[in-house]
Amino acid sequence: MEASLHYLLLMTQTVFHKMVLSEAATIGLSPGQPKMLEYLKHYGGCDQRMIGDACNIEAATVTGILVRMEAAGLIERKQLEGNRRSLHVFLTENGKACARQIDDTFKSIEETAFANIPADEQKEFLATLTKIYANLTDRQRQP
């Protein structure tokens, strides 16, 4: 019996996620924080809604993760240009260091995942997976 797409995606994501969480725990990160650190590394200064949308996380979950990240000294929230309605999230120096560490973790796990797979197949796989993601997210947005 050939494995289905849903099974392979679920099992691969589970193994990948466990590897990330195991490494993240060694630097004091909890679930949800690696993804947010990666996003903030590239898009620091955004508001909570942008983070939630980009990371596909519910607003209440974003709030909880950010509270823990702020308490750990990984982020700071600031008002920009007198806008008191929303706070913008920035990485602290400690947060930037953790973001670099988790980025190294992601790269290492990706290297393991792509071991013995030629570069052209890797590129083709990522292009196909990107199309699958677009198909599924477009479907989610439709009424």
Side-chain angles (χ1 to χ4, degrees):
M1 179 169 117
E2 192 171 317
S4 64
L5 174 65
H6 81 270
Y7 179 80
L8 289 172
L9 286 176
L10 286 173
M11 292 300 104
T12 302
Q13 192 278 339
T14 298
V15 172
F16 192 96
H17 190 69
K18 283 181 179 180
M19 293 173 79
V20 168
L21 290 182
S22 175
E23 287 297 315
T26 66
I27 57 173
L29 298 177
S30 61
Q33 292 179 346
K35 184 189 320 190
M36 288 180 138
L37 282 172
E38 181 180 39
Y39 181 76
L40 290 168
K41 179 178 143 196
H42 297 285
Y43 304 103
C46 58
D47 63 29
Q48 285 187 214
R49 187 163 55 137
M50 292 170 66
I51 295 168
D53 290 347
C55 295
N56 202 18
I57 301 173
E58 296 296 322
T61 304
V62 171
T63 300
I65 294 170
L66 289 177
V67 165
R68 288 188 298 281
M69 291 175 75
E70 193 169 31
L74 300 173
I75 63 156
E76 58 185 343
R77 295 186 250 194
K78 301 178 188 174
Q79 293 177 350
L80 293 184
E81 301 170 11
N83 180 354
R84 295 188 293 185
R85 294 189 69 202
S86 64
L87 294 172
H88 294 260
V89 182
F90 296 87
L91 290 176
T92 62
E93 289 305 315
N94 186 31
K96 290 175 186 177
C98 284
R100 285 189 295 273
Q101 286 180 279
I102 206 65
D103 191 48
D104 289 344
T105 296
F106 289 143
K107 287 177 185 173
S108 174
I109 296 170
E110 287 177 17
E111 286 174 10
T112 300
F114 280 127
N116 304 314
I117 299 173
D120 59 327
E121 287 182 37
Q122 291 178 32
K123 188 175 180 179
E124 185 177 331
F125 170 76
L126 291 173
T128 301
L129 194 56
T130 299
K131 290 176 186 176
I132 290 169
Y133 178 73
N135 289 343
L136 294 174
T137 55
D138 286 347
R139 182 175 173 192
Q140 259 185 338
R141 291 185 196 122
Q142 294 174 1

